[in-house]
Amino acid sequence: MLFGKELTMKLSFKYMLYSLFYISSLLLILPQTVCAQENPAGIGYTYKIIKPKNQIGNAGYFDLRMTPEQKQTVEIEFYNMTDKELSVDLSVNSAKTNSNGVIEYGPTKLKNDPSLVYDMKNIIEVPKKVTLQPKETKNIPVNITMPKEQFDGYISGGIYLQKTETNEEKKADEAEKGVVNKYAFIVGMLLSETDVKVQPELVFNKINAGVTNYRNAFLTNFSNTKATYVEGMTVDVQIFKKGSDEVLYESKKENYRMAPNSAITFPVNLNGESFVAGNYVGHILVTAGDKKWEWQEEFEVTQKEAEKYNAQDVSLVQDRGISWKIIVMIVVGVLGTLLVIYLIIHRISNNKVKKAKKRRRKR
């Protein structure tokens, strides 16, 4: 009986050791992931633009031929699909270009470029909020006031539409863990006065160390200073140590776009590496069709900047915060402790077996 118990204990302990080793291996191998449940609230409404006579083409947005100082009111039709009252928030924004070469017509933290003379916010006026009764259809005015001076090219932007959150929805969002998806519409607005084709003109602004998406990157900023779009743009940026011909980092992207009178900040990622203080050279080549812009600029990464951005890079912080050596030491320590416990139990069991044999001999 004692031998049977001892065998069972050995098998159970071996199973426990194997299980612990398997779990530890998974801990060391599997990447860390964060999951969030989606719980989208229904949009609840539809819209359509009412195209005026000065609409150009058949696009699904406003593309209007205007004149200097012209005042015009166009309309957007809203329909509440639900059986409850709902409201829609509206805002006007000028078009901007994000770091992925995508044009944004909605709210953004991107700043206006200094070359932007006519901000859409100063030309278009809409109600801040529209309230719709159940199943109601309502036309909302969009008031346009054109600048006094005639211009060539485009004034570009959009009207942002988003359902107003109810108190219940706000509480649900606050209670939700992870990413909360919110849905919105963009009504594009393109204003022009002439058929003159404006050619893009790109101007270099700066290149510097920084962080994008919480990771180290060299950031190149340049502007499209004309009131026209840049289409099919290819951007190629190479980073060198000053005095060296060796390319340290490079990023090349194709099919980028730029909005009229907007800037782009193009990142060259360090791919998990730390910034090193020193003098660098950036070579920037931008092409679009038969047009080409090229710059070569020297810049410095100071020790203070390197330390600042290295501390903000989450990949570096994780490397410093999660030491795999420490994890291995902990796993080894746990396994060692379990091995010691096993040896102690094994020794006690052997002693009991020996004592039992002695008692049987005496009998």
Side-chain angles (χ1 to χ4, degrees):
M1 291 295 291
L2 285 174
F3 179 77
K5 286 183 180 179
E6 182 183 1
L7 178 60
T8 303
M9 182 171 61
K10 285 182 179 179
L11 291 173
S12 300
F13 191 79
K14 285 182 180 178
Y15 177 79
M16 183 169 59
L17 284 175
Y18 291 147
S19 298
L20 181 61
F21 180 78
Y22 177 72
I23 293 170
S24 302
S25 300
L26 289 178
L27 178 64
L28 293 172
I29 295 171
L30 292 179
Q32 294 183 346
T33 58
V34 179
C35 299
Q37 289 186 337
E38 292 185 5
N39 185 23
I43 294 175
Y45 71 95
T46 62
Y47 82 91
K48 70 176 181 179
I49 66 170
I50 309 300
K51 296 176 183 178
K53 292 182 179 180
N54 57 333
Q55 172 82 15
I56 299 174
N58 199 30
Y61 54 87
F62 290 113
D63 184 357
L64 307 179
R65 175 54 53 90
M66 308 294 288
T67 58
E69 296 189 271
Q70 180 181 348
K71 292 185 178 181
Q72 182 179 1
T73 299
V74 295
E75 293 182 323
I76 303 173
E77 180 184 287
F78 287 84
Y79 171 63
N80 180 359
M81 299 184 294
T82 73
D83 295 322
K84 297 180 180 179
E85 177 182 287
L86 64 78
S87 296
V88 180
D89 296 322
L90 293 81
S91 64
V92 177
N93 309 275
S94 286
K96 298 178 177 66
T97 307
N98 67 26
S99 61
N100 296 313
V102 176
I103 297 174
E104 297 196 11
Y105 296 92
T108 175
K109 293 181 180 179
L110 297 172
K111 296 181 180 179
N112 286 343
D113 189 75
S115 69
L116 182 66
V117 178
Y118 304 118
D119 191 338
M120 190 66 81
K121 289 183 178 181
N122 300 326
I123 295 174
I124 303 296
E125 182 182 0
V126 296
K128 292 184 178 179
K129 187 186 294 289
V130 173
T131 299
L132 302 171
Q133 299 303 318
K135 305 298 182 181
E136 181 184 11
T137 298
K138 182 184 288 188
N139 285 10
I140 304 304
V142 178
N143 298 317
I144 306 170
T145 302
M146 295 298 290
K148 293 181 181 181
E149 302 81 9
Q150 187 183 64
F151 68 90
D152 298 324
Y154 297 104
I155 299 175
S156 176
I159 303 169
Y160 184 77
L161 316 175
Q162 186 173 45
K163 179 174 172 287
T164 308
E165 280 191 311
T166 63
N167 292 330
E168 291 77 11
E169 289 169 342
K170 288 181 181 178
K171 290 179 181 178
D173 287 350
E174 291 172 357
E176 185 72 29
K177 295 181 180 179
V179 177
V180 178
N181 290 325
K182 295 183 180 181
Y183 300 88
F185 294 117
I186 295 287
V187 179
M189 179 70 72
L190 198 61
L191 305 175
S192 63
E193 294 182 348
T194 72
D195 290 324
V196 175
K197 291 186 177 180
V198 177
Q199 298 301 317
E201 183 176 320
L202 302 188
V203 175
F204 175 82
N205 295 322
K206 63 179 180 179
I207 182 170
N208 58 272
V211 175
T212 178
N213 294 325
Y214 304 101
R215 283 171 173 78
N216 286 342
F218 291 103
L219 306 177
T220 301
N221 182 274
F222 57 90
S223 300
N224 171 24
T225 61
K226 298 298 181 180
T228 188
Y229 287 87
V230 184
E231 304 285 354
M233 188 170 68
T234 297
V235 184
D236 187 0
V237 178
Q238 296 175 323
I239 304 297
F240 304 84
K241 195 77 172 178
K242 184 179 178 181
S244 172
D245 293 331
E246 180 185 358
V247 178
L248 296 178
Y249 305 97
E250 181 177 11
S251 181
K252 182 177 181 179
K253 302 294 182 181
E254 298 178 344
N255 297 318
Y256 272 29
R257 303 179 71 216
M258 285 192 77
N261 300 108
S262 69
I264 182 173
T265 298
F266 183 84
V268 179
N269 294 316
L270 270 64
N271 302 317
E273 295 184 15
S274 300
F275 275 118
V276 177
N279 294 312
Y280 295 85
V281 175
H283 178 257
I284 304 100
L285 176 63
V286 182
T287 58
D290 59 353
K291 297 189 176 299
K292 173 182 173 182
W293 297 268
E294 190 170 10
W295 307 285
Q296 185 156 308
E297 300 291 332
E298 295 183 9
F299 64 100
E300 180 184 7
V301 178
T302 66
Q303 185 62 39
K304 185 176 181 180
E305 288 174 329
E307 292 175 357
K308 174 185 175 182
Y309 297 126
N310 289 340
Q312 295 176 16
D313 188 315
V314 292
S315 60
L316 298 177
V317 171
Q318 287 174 352
D319 287 342
R320 291 192 295 267
I322 303 176
S323 173
W324 296 110
K325 290 182 179 179
I326 293 176
I327 291 178
V328 171
M329 290 173 63
I330 292 173
V331 172
V332 171
V334 171
L335 293 175
T337 301
L338 293 174
L339 180 60
V340 170
I341 294 172
Y342 168 74
L343 293 174
I344 292 173
I345 295 174
H346 182 69
R347 186 172 182 179
I348 292 172
S349 299
N350 284 340
N351 290 338
K352 288 183 177 180
V353 171
K354 290 178 180 179
K355 289 180 180 179
K357 288 181 178 179
K358 288 181 179 180
R359 283 197 295 270
R360 284 197 296 270
R361 288 173 182 173
K362 289 179 180 180
R363 292 177 184 175

